[in-house]
Amino acid sequence: MTSSRIDTVALVGNPNCGKTALFNALTGGRQKVANYAGVTVERKEGIATLPSGRRLRILDLPGTYSLRARSPDEAITRDAVLGRLADEPAPDVIVCVADATNLGLVLRLALELKTTGLPMVFVLNMIDIAERQGIDIDVEALSRELGAPVTATVATRKRGLETLLELAASQAEGMRASPPSGWREPSATEVRAAHRQARELMRAAVRPPSRPDTLTGRLDSVLLHPVGGVAILLGLLFLMFQAVFTWAAPAQDLIEAGFGALGVGAAAVLPDGWMTGLVVDGLIAGVGSVLVFLPQILILFLFILLLEDSGYMARAAFLMDRIMGGAGLHGRAFIPLLSSFACAVPGIMSTRVIDSRKDRLTTILTAPLMTCSARIPVYTLIISALIPNRTVGGVLSLQGLVMFSLYAAGILSALLVAFLIRKVFWRGGSELFMMQLPDYKRPEPGNVLRNLAQKAWAFISRAGRIILPLMVLVWALSSWPAPPEGAQGPAIAYSAAGRLGHWLEPIFAPIGFSWEMVVALIPGMAAREVAVAALGAIYAVGGEEGALAGILSRQWTLASGLAFLAWYVFAPQCIATLAVVRRETGGWLWPAVMFAYMLGLAYAAAFLVFQASRALGLA
């Protein structure tokens, strides 16, 4: 007979210790993600089941170096451990997760956790790497000094998980947790004393590696070189953007052909009338024009996941620290800005790791300038339609070079905006940047594929949740009202969308936007990639046939296309981003500032590009 009680186990550890990999290994697919009540910090929880049938509730708390919280993420971890969060009692057991190859900082955290009085298990994660390096850890000494059982795991290979769960369950049975109401934040003097105690424990219980990881040292001597390392990082980024175009082409052709055949088949079986227009011109043309870019987005995420899992991403942050510091950005801003290449929403949320509110606000205001994955459909559509598919120097793709320049424009503009913010809104230097560099590791194919599948599903589900309803709306606005009898010109010009586009067209004429382009910007406020789907639906309703890229090559000038790209480098075309900025900053002031400055930059950039292109004869 098993107990019906479900104890809560909180995973606590430094960043880059493998805590989330351990959480995934323990809980598998039995996970849910939400926000803590009243805040936007993400809470991950799942259920782990022991062989006996007993279940444990596992919480994955944000990474922290100390209970002396200096950032919103660290404050959430502290408050979760102490039972201070609304609707979240103190955990029954703390599992302190340590990188077995680098125990220096986590031992101080473990000593702080000990002062809470909560039951604890200390986990030596990635023990296989420590064993390979010949690191000798005196488990008994650690257990004695910490007053907690010590065990070892290899999360990526699911080694030691059963023992860990049994120890956590045993600790919960032996010592019922009570909210540590008497705990107080240690003073600076006490923290220094804890740091000295952690160093002494490190010397007493951990023998230096007999086979040190010389590969990491050799690689870092090259990859962290102030000149050569930056050149390698830029080369990797350039390779990534080249791959987005060249590797994805065959899969894109298959998807495009599949949706084309689906549209022909639907038109053949559906009766003539509005239903055929809705399905073929609205849903299939609209959604298909976005999903065709799924291979490119997956290639981008594949590069990012490989860089993260290998340990290189932390090095990239150090390489960029000097450049970012010169622009007034905190070194820790690199990770949020890099996350914004996927999506600005999690990028902005991850600014909680930055201690200073001013540094955090600067990063929040510049994060949307990073080229998120939602821009990829817009960029690749315009580039494939208007930029010749030829090589430069016989090796480099011209289309890839244009894509790289768009990413570079976003990065450089973010640095410039950050510099101006620090000069105009507030002065003073950023705090020093400290980050623990993990050893290089071989990415686990299973983890990479699992994460890649999650990204693919997120993109597909976004198409279902956001794009499908909007395409129905765009199709309806593009089809009704019907033109009056005897009217001249395409029917779509008389529709609600056509009239709205023509009414707004004079405002956008100086930047070369046609009424179709203007109409596509409106649903594109919900999500940037919806603009592509909207264009597909608008031209399909208007009677244009063929792939959307081919239609644009006939309808748009190069000057207009380049202006459209310039607009999307800067435009605040995402309601979700503005909403998360409001939640993170506690009001509408900073979202309004962001919307205004980005809209101004977008119009100015598009105007300069369009007028310069016309002057060069590219109209």
Side-chain angles (χ1 to χ4, degrees):
M1 183 175 178
T2 60
S3 172
S4 60
R5 191 182 79 205
I6 300 180
D7 292 306
T8 298
V9 178
L11 304 183
V12 183
N14 298 157
N16 299 317
C17 67
K19 179 172 55 63
T20 299
L22 182 61
F23 171 77
N24 291 335
L26 290 171
T27 60
R30 294 161 292 180
Q31 304 174 8
K32 62 179 180 179
V33 179
N35 287 342
Y36 285 98
V39 296
T40 55
V41 176
E42 189 176 77
R43 175 176 67 182
K44 293 181 181 179
E45 66 174 88
I47 299 295
T49 305
L50 281 72
S52 64
R54 182 174 176 181
R55 299 193 301 165
L56 297 174
R57 176 172 172 257
I58 312 295
L59 288 181
D60 181 17
L61 298 179
T64 184
Y65 290 104
S66 172
L67 293 182
R68 295 182 79 236
R70 291 298 177 264
S71 70
D73 262 7
E74 292 184 342
I76 286 294
T77 297
R78 177 200 61 199
D79 292 344
V81 167
L82 300 177
R84 296 176 178 174
L85 296 178
D87 304 321
E88 183 63 65
D92 298 289
V93 181
I94 297 172
V95 170
C96 185
V97 184
D99 177 354
T101 67
N102 200 341
L103 295 178
L105 290 177
V106 76
L107 286 177
R108 187 186 69 181
L109 174 62
L111 291 170
E112 290 184 22
L113 292 170
K114 179 182 176 181
T115 66
T116 66
L118 294 171
M120 183 172 68
V121 178
F122 191 77
V123 179
L124 297 167
N125 195 30
M126 296 185 272
I127 192 65
D128 55 332
I129 301 176
E131 291 170 344
R132 189 163 61 244
Q133 295 178 11
I135 298 175
D136 187 11
I137 301 174
D138 189 338
V139 173
E140 292 184 2
L142 280 179
S143 178
R144 184 172 58 252
E145 292 296 325
L146 296 175
V150 178
T151 188
T153 59
V154 181
T156 55
R157 292 180 172 82
K158 298 187 176 181
R159 173 179 155 189
L161 302 186
E162 185 175 327
T163 301
L164 169 59
L165 291 175
E166 294 287 356
L167 284 173
S170 176
Q171 288 289 93
E173 287 288 347
M175 300 172 61
R176 291 300 297 151
S178 59
S181 57
W183 186 91
R184 63 174 178 81
E185 182 174 298
S187 65
T189 301
E190 290 170 325
V191 170
R192 286 193 292 270
H195 190 62
R196 287 194 299 269
Q197 186 181 355
R199 287 204 307 267
E200 292 169 2
L201 181 54
M202 183 78 176
R203 286 194 296 267
V206 182
R207 184 179 301 168
S210 58
R211 298 180 297 276
D213 182 12
T214 56
L215 176 61
T216 291
R218 292 198 302 270
L219 288 175
D220 279 348
S221 66
V222 176
L223 297 178
L224 294 183
H225 190 275
V227 177
V230 173
I232 292 172
L233 174 60
L234 293 177
L236 285 172
L237 293 175
F238 186 78
L239 173 64
M240 181 168 67
F241 302 136
Q242 290 283 311
V244 162
F245 269 98
T246 56
W247 297 359
Q252 283 188 288
D253 291 341
L254 286 175
I255 294 174
E256 192 170 70
F259 273 95
L262 183 62
V264 171
V269 298
L270 291 173
D272 290 338
W274 68 267
M275 179 61 72
T276 300
L278 170 62
V279 173
V280 177
D281 299 333
L283 300 182
I284 295 177
V287 176
S289 62
V290 171
L291 289 184
V292 73
F293 301 104
L294 177 60
Q296 293 175 315
I297 290 173
L298 290 182
I299 289 172
L300 176 67
F301 278 117
L302 176 62
F303 272 89
I304 292 175
L305 290 170
L306 290 175
L307 293 177
E308 286 179 343
D309 285 5
S310 67
Y312 179 76
M313 200 65 83
R315 272 81 181 174
F318 270 105
L319 287 171
M320 295 300 295
D321 178 45
R322 180 177 299 178
I323 298 173
M324 293 171 60
L329 284 167
H330 189 280
R332 283 192 177 185
F334 178 78
I335 300 299
L337 293 180
L338 191 67
S339 300
S340 298
F341 279 116
C343 178
V345 170
I348 290 169
M349 293 174 66
S350 65
T351 61
R352 294 183 298 258
V353 303
I354 301 174
D355 304 344
S356 165
R357 174 171 171 80
K358 291 181 178 180
D359 289 331
R360 192 158 60 248
L361 276 173
T362 303
T363 309
I364 286 173
L365 291 173
T366 54
L369 291 170
M370 299 294 103
T371 300
C372 66
S373 59
R375 286 181 173 104
I376 292 179
V378 178
Y379 286 177
T380 53
L381 170 67
I382 308 304
I383 291 172
S384 60
L386 301 175
I387 304 300
N389 183 17
R390 63 169 184 253
T391 60
V392 177
V395 177
L396 302 177
S397 164
L398 178 60
Q399 294 180 335
L401 285 171
V402 174
M403 178 72 105
F404 180 78
S405 68
L406 293 172
Y407 274 77
I411 295 170
L412 293 175
S413 62
L415 295 176
L416 178 60
V417 168
F419 178 80
L420 293 175
I421 288 174
R422 298 296 300 215
K423 293 294 184 182
V424 174
F425 288 103
W426 42 75
R427 298 178 179 273
S430 296
E431 298 176 7
L432 291 176
F433 175 42
M434 293 184 293
M435 176 181 283
Q436 187 171 322
L437 291 179
D439 290 337
Y440 289 104
K441 296 183 291 291
R442 181 171 57 87
E444 290 292 328
N447 283 338
V448 172
L449 291 176
R450 186 182 304 111
N451 288 328
L452 205 58
Q454 291 174 352
K455 302 297 184 185
W457 176 245
F459 184 74
I460 294 171
S461 63
R462 183 182 176 95
R465 290 182 293 106
I466 298 177
I467 299 175
L468 272 175
L470 285 173
M471 286 310 93
V472 173
L473 178 62
V474 170
W475 175 83
L477 294 176
S478 302
S479 302
W480 283 299
E485 191 169 340
Q488 302 294 318
I492 192 174
Y494 298 90
S495 68
R499 292 174 180 176
L500 177 62
H502 283 101
W503 181 69
L504 293 174
E505 192 174 18
I507 300 174
F508 291 87
I511 61 175
F513 285 16
S514 65
W515 71 265
E516 295 95 341
M517 299 163 76
V518 174
V519 170
L521 294 179
I522 298 171
M525 285 298 300
R528 290 179 174 94
E529 68 270 32
V530 177
V532 172
L535 285 171
I538 290 168
Y539 283 114
V541 172
E544 296 288 342
E545 297 182 355
L548 183 55
I551 294 173
L552 298 191
S553 67
R554 299 192 300 268
Q555 296 287 337
W556 292 19
T557 66
L558 179 56
S560 294
L562 293 177
F564 201 74
L565 291 176
W567 173 275
Y568 263 91
V569 170
F570 302 103
Q573 295 282 129
C574 183
I575 291 176
T577 299
L578 296 173
V580 79
V581 172
R582 185 196 66 80
R583 288 186 304 189
E584 291 291 326
T585 60
W588 283 108
L589 171 62
W590 293 110
V593 170
M594 173 186 288
F595 184 84
Y597 99 76
M598 292 186 70
L599 191 64
L601 280 179
Y603 197 95
F607 177 83
L608 291 174
V609 168
F610 179 69
Q611 298 298 335
S613 298
R614 293 184 64 190
L616 294 172
L618 301 179

